[in-house]
Amino acid sequence: MTFCLPAVLTLANASTCADALEAALSKGECSVDAAALTRCDSSVIAVLLKARRIDKTKRIEILNPPPMLLSLATLYGARELLFPL
């Protein structure tokens, strides 16, 4: 199953998105699709790191990361945590 990130993920909606993602993970979802993401701030990193922390299976995969998400992950030193090889 896949959880789709919204087109915009900023501080304004990060809490709501994190709660929805946590609920999806509790139902067994194991991937996050970032294809729709067109605008974000560092809150997206916090949301995705929270998902990594609560994922009991350690199988969560982030799909289709746009360049801006990869850049933010690199900037905050979280790229290897969010996008392991």
Side-chain angles (χ1 to χ4, degrees), residues 14 25 28 30 39 52 55 64 71-72:
L25 288 171
C30 61
R39 188 166 57 98
R52 282 269 185 234
D55 177 35
N64 306 309
S71 293
L72 278 173

Side-chain angles (χ1 to χ4, degrees), residues 5 32-35 37 48 62-70 79 83:
L5 291 179
V32 177
D33 190 350
L37 197 62
L48 294 174
I62 302 166
L63 308 171
N64 306 309
M68 69 182 148
L69 176 54
L70 294 173
R79 189 164 181 157
F83 307 100

Side-chain angles (χ1 to χ4, degrees), residues 1 16 19 21-22 28-29 33 41 57 62 78-79:
M1 308 268 311
T16 301
D19 291 345
L21 180 51
E22 184 173 356
E29 309 245 357
D33 190 350
D41 62 17
T57 65
I62 302 166
R79 189 164 181 157

